[in-house]
Amino acid sequence: MQFIKESIIAAPPGKVFAFHERPDAFELLVPPWENARIIEKADISKIGSRAIIETKLFGLVPVRWVAEHTVYDPPRMFEDIQISGPFASWRHRHIVLPHADGAILRDEIEFEPPMWIFGRLAAPIAIIPKLKKMFDYRHRMTRQAILDL
């Protein structure tokens, strides 16, 4: 399955990419309703660097998410994949492209939900809306943080 969120940010692509390299970027991008706790931070510039996050599925079931950075191509793209966590598979590409009004910030996520066919059937009502809400927030916070620089 695939989810894509794209926004125009009124800043040069290099500045948009540089925001994601900040040590505090991930904390700024985690929505407050996610109740996530960062156990280990990743350095996106280091291939193999891992982030470990503890969260709760449906606000109830504790889960540990381990993501590894697999591609670093500044100022255009970086990628992380789930090593272990709530999804059967997860690949997230963070892409920054030039645009006449600044930059396009594009998040491309390829994922397989948990629980095989049941997860695929539930994805349109349980996963996709949650991703949309989360990435709307993340793009809004990215825009705000860049304007505050």
Side-chain angles (χ1 to χ4, degrees):
M1 301 187 84
Q2 188 175 50
F3 173 83
I4 296 173
K5 168 66 179 177
E6 194 171 272
S7 296
I8 296 172
I9 309 284
K15 192 171 184 179
V16 175
F17 192 89
F19 163 74
H20 289 87
E21 294 175 306
R22 289 174 39 175
D24 64 341
F26 189 72
E27 288 92 340
L28 294 171
L29 296 176
V30 175
W33 62 84
E34 282 301 311
N35 193 25
R37 189 166 69 97
I38 299 166
I39 304 300
E40 184 177 315
K41 291 183 184 182
D43 178 346
I44 70 166
S45 69
K46 294 183 178 152
I47 303 297
S49 177
R50 291 187 175 188
I52 303 172
I53 298 114
E54 285 184 347
T55 189
K56 292 185 179 179
L57 290 180
F58 310 111
L60 303 169
V61 182
V63 65
R64 183 173 274 215
W65 194 331
V66 178
E68 182 175 300
H69 285 272
T70 54
V71 176
Y72 178 68
D73 182 16
R76 193 185 81 71
M77 193 260 284
F78 66 99
E79 174 185 89
D80 53 84
I81 61 167
Q82 174 188 281
I83 300 301
S84 62
F87 290 87
S89 68
W90 173 277
R91 177 178 306 275
H92 181 186
R93 289 181 188 93
H94 312 252
I95 301 168
V96 180
L97 301 168
H99 185 274
D101 295 326
I104 296 172
L105 175 59
R106 180 180 172 97
D107 284 284
E108 293 180 358
I109 299 168
E110 296 171 17
F111 68 95
E112 284 301 321
M115 300 182 296
W116 191 56
I117 192 70
F118 304 109
R120 289 188 72 78
L121 291 171
I125 57 170
I127 297 173
I128 300 295
K130 186 172 180 175
L131 289 175
K132 181 179 180 342
K133 182 179 178 187
M134 179 186 305
F135 280 91
D136 285 348
Y137 176 87
R138 291 180 71 153
H139 281 226
R140 188 170 58 254
M141 294 307 292
T142 300
R143 185 177 292 108
Q144 181 179 326
I146 289 170
L147 292 175
D148 290 344
L149 290 179

